[in-house]
Amino acid sequence: MGAAEFSRDVMANEPNASLSQRLANYLAQLPPPAVLKLASGIEREKLRGTTGLPYETILSGLRPLLASFRGARPGMADPVRRLCLPFEDLLSDAPAVDRSRGRIVRGVIEPLWAWLESELLPDALPDMARRIVDHTLKGDAPALETTVSVMHASVAAAIAAALDDARRDGARRREIEARLGSESAIEDARAIAAALSIAPVMLKLQSVLPKSAADFNDDLVTAVKELYEEAREKSADAALYVPFAAMARLAEPWQILRLARKVAHYRNDMLISRSELAVLGELLLADMDRIAQAAESKRPGHADLDKLRDEIKRFARISRGFTAEIDLRRHGEWGQRLLGARARLSAAISQEMARFETDLPRALPLHQIGQYGRGGPLRPDISGAPDTVRTERMNACLRFLEGLTPICEAVGAQSHCRSVRGQITIYLNTYEDRLLEELRTATGTARANAEAFVEIAARFREALGEDRTADVLRRRADVALQQAAS
């Protein structure tokens, strides 16, 4: 796709929207091959100096999409991207990141590059950037590799020296913070300098460990361990960015504990928790603590249940993975933290689910009939149409319950899940039988309401994973309608 063609397509997409909105909408429609082709074309035109396109705006829209793709990305990387390659696995588009695991806010790259160009390396960096462009366009791979290596080492040393000065000079620190845009950006710059100081190792890691690796097997663990030890010979602090980057490349981050275990030569949590890679276990435990804390901070009935369910599933995966990789002692520090997080999460789940049994009758209401007072028989209330808000809320509750059923033991909520599901099943069984009776005799609006409630009950069954039961209910309703018509 040419630059002019791309420009026309973007501008034609919602002409009244802003450029960034048009760009986002356009990119969302593209299949992955087209995104890769577009990125390559934009980078090529940028390197050639073609004018007329907002390159940074386009590339900023492409980067989140490109980061989600597996495998090496083709294209002609510009000097800024070449600079970022060693630490690209640590970059995040979130405004705030967990720097304890080496994460770097992507937004710091542009002001950092401007700082390097204007102050830290005002002569060297523009010269290296020009050489990188020339070598890239000519296809001179050896010269390109040499120049990029020099850039990595030069930038690492320049940033480290500037931040070392800022440590002793408060005014200098404030000046750097202003240049980079925030106080926390200094920590991003520090992480970048550390990762660039071991750039050859970080780049080797990317060739050794596939992105989104499904299984961190023993061969991969051994290879990453060797890279970690190679980096450690240069700097123990910088070497930690090797497992941080490796963790970001794993489909299941808890598998990084295999590296900690191999380096420590132990499976016992008491010993691993005192090893040089104890931080890896601490990061996973911190994830579990955050999930538990977020769950217990929500008032029952006010949480986004789909999001909470996904977070609880992540908690369960980490918990299972942690206990599979490490021999946890119940009275050890890690064992106590894991059990504590699980107990808090279980309590939050129980409080959230306690309202399910009362919300269900609001979505599928019953009312008493006859002269028996409170002890009278109950029949489905089909005098009014279903309440859409209550129906959707209950649907979310049942999806939540179904999603937790396979993992409830891992989060210590098996007893409550079984109890709540049992009560819901009893209510649905009773309600459906009585609703079908109403369907046989109802007329007019009442019959239309009854049919709507049948469909809601069937959807509730599907939310619980009971598709066959839902189909049977719909067939029973068809029979009831036929009987009413005869």
Side-chain angles (χ1 to χ4, degrees):
M1 177 181 292
E5 180 186 357
F6 171 75
S7 180
R8 284 195 303 271
D9 286 349
V10 172
M11 295 306 292
N13 188 358
E14 300 183 48
N16 294 326
S18 67
L19 176 60
S20 59
Q21 289 173 327
R22 289 196 296 269
L23 176 64
N25 293 337
Y26 178 81
L27 294 177
Q29 302 169 20
L30 298 179
V35 171
L36 292 172
K37 185 177 179 181
L38 174 60
S40 298
I42 292 295
E43 289 174 342
R44 182 177 59 252
E45 296 305 318
K46 181 182 178 184
L47 284 177
R48 288 175 175 172
T50 304
T51 60
L53 277 177
Y55 291 106
E56 286 310 315
T57 300
I58 297 168
L59 290 172
S60 66
L62 286 168
R63 284 177 190 124
L65 297 172
L66 295 168
S68 66
F69 298 159
R70 296 187 180 188
R73 175 164 77 83
M76 304 178 78
D78 67 4
V80 176
R81 184 177 152 213
R82 295 282 183 190
L83 177 69
C84 298
L85 284 176
F87 55 88
E88 67 177 356
D89 290 313
L90 303 174
L91 291 173
S92 171
D93 293 297
V97 298
D98 181 3
R99 289 179 175 81
S100 65
R101 64 176 60 198
R103 291 290 183 267
I104 299 166
V105 174
R106 190 185 298 274
V108 78
I109 301 302
E110 187 175 343
L112 179 71
W113 181 269
W115 181 38
L116 289 163
E117 273 191 319
S118 63
E119 182 181 338
L120 300 189
L121 297 168
D123 298 319
L125 187 61
D127 180 62
M128 286 185 285
R130 283 191 295 271
R131 290 174 183 273
I132 288 171
V133 171
D134 290 343
H135 299 327
T136 301
L137 293 174
K138 292 175 182 176
D140 190 343
L144 175 63
E145 183 178 354
T146 299
T147 305
V148 170
S149 296
V150 172
M151 178 176 67
H152 289 158
S154 301
V155 169
I159 295 175
L163 296 184
D164 190 51
D165 289 342
R167 226 181 235 138
R168 299 185 295 270
D169 186 339
R172 175 63 172 152
R173 180 184 178 89
R174 289 189 293 275
E175 179 188 341
I176 295 174
E177 289 172 359
R179 274 189 169 275
L180 298 183
S182 70
E183 180 179 344
S184 59
I186 283 191
E187 296 309 314
D188 290 319
R190 199 181 308 281
I192 289 171
L196 288 176
S197 72
I198 54 168
V201 176
M202 299 292 282
L203 293 173
K204 285 182 195 173
L205 175 69
Q206 294 170 14
S207 64
V208 165
L209 184 61
K211 201 170 185 179
S212 300
D215 182 24
F216 195 32
N217 59 42
D218 194 59
D219 289 342
L220 290 175
V221 173
T222 300
V224 174
K225 176 177 178 288
E226 291 173 356
L227 291 175
Y228 169 71
E229 290 172 346
E230 180 183 341
R232 200 173 184 281
E233 290 179 3
K234 182 175 178 71
S235 167
D237 291 337
L240 283 175
Y241 289 92
V242 173
F244 288 158
M247 193 174 186
R249 296 181 78 82
L250 298 177
E252 297 289 357
W254 53 262
Q255 291 183 356
I256 198 65
L257 290 173
R258 298 174 186 178
L259 175 65
R261 198 176 67 211
K262 198 170 191 71
V263 169
H265 302 292
Y266 295 106
R267 286 185 63 99
N268 186 302
D269 69 315
M270 300 286 283
L271 297 172
I272 293 178
S273 65
R274 291 172 173 79
S275 72
E276 61 195 75
L277 291 184
V279 63
L280 302 178
E282 294 289 337
L283 291 174
L284 294 168
L285 288 168
D287 275 348
M288 297 173 71
D289 283 335
R290 276 193 290 270
I291 294 170
Q293 184 178 10
E296 64 184 354
S297 69
K298 299 289 185 182
R299 287 174 53 200
H302 291 77
D304 180 334
L305 291 183
D306 289 334
K307 183 177 179 181
L308 179 59
R309 177 198 59 212
D310 292 343
E311 285 294 279
I312 293 171
K313 285 183 177 181
R314 189 162 70 90
F315 182 103
R317 287 198 302 271
I318 296 173
S319 176
R320 286 171 173 167
F322 207 108
T323 54
E325 298 298 334
I326 305 293
D327 293 332
L328 288 175
R329 298 199 175 186
R330 191 176 187 87
H331 299 293
E333 181 184 352
W334 281 6
Q336 286 291 302
R337 284 184 61 184
L338 190 148
L339 290 173
R342 186 183 296 172
R344 297 201 313 278
L345 183 59
S346 176
I349 292 171
S350 297
Q351 290 180 7
E352 187 65 47
M353 292 173 60
R355 66 184 180 82
F356 290 5
E357 295 172 50
T358 57
D359 280 355
L360 183 56
R362 294 190 179 104
L364 299 176
L366 294 168
H367 67 157
Q368 292 173 336
I369 60 173
Q371 305 297 320
Y372 303 98
R374 290 191 174 181
L378 295 173
R379 292 170 57 180
D381 184 358
I382 57 174
S383 60
D387 185 310
T388 303
V389 173
R390 290 176 175 177
T391 298
E392 290 305 315
R393 182 184 300 150
M394 194 64 218
N395 227 331
C397 293
L398 298 178
R399 288 197 306 269
F400 180 82
L401 178 59
E402 169 61 12
L404 259 60
T405 298
I407 61 166
C408 57
E409 186 173 353
V411 294
Q414 60 269 36
S415 175
H416 204 68
C417 281
R418 282 197 297 265
S419 173
V420 171
R421 184 157 189 149
Q423 292 299 318
I424 286 174
T425 299
I426 290 172
Y427 187 92
L428 286 175
N429 289 340
T430 302
Y431 181 87
E432 290 163 2
D433 289 341
R434 294 177 181 176
L435 181 60
L436 294 176
E437 293 175 8
E438 294 292 320
L439 197 58
R440 293 186 183 95
T441 59
T443 59
T445 303
R447 175 181 290 185
N449 291 339
E451 290 183 58
F453 279 115
V454 167
E455 181 57 29
I456 289 170
R459 288 190 357 237
F460 284 176
R461 291 289 191 177
E462 289 168 343
L464 287 169
E466 300 172 2
D467 291 0
R468 181 173 296 181
T469 304
D471 290 340
V472 170
L473 175 60
R474 290 186 177 106
R475 288 198 296 270
R476 290 174 67 196
D478 289 341
V479 171
L481 287 170
Q482 291 171 9
Q483 292 172 345
S486 61

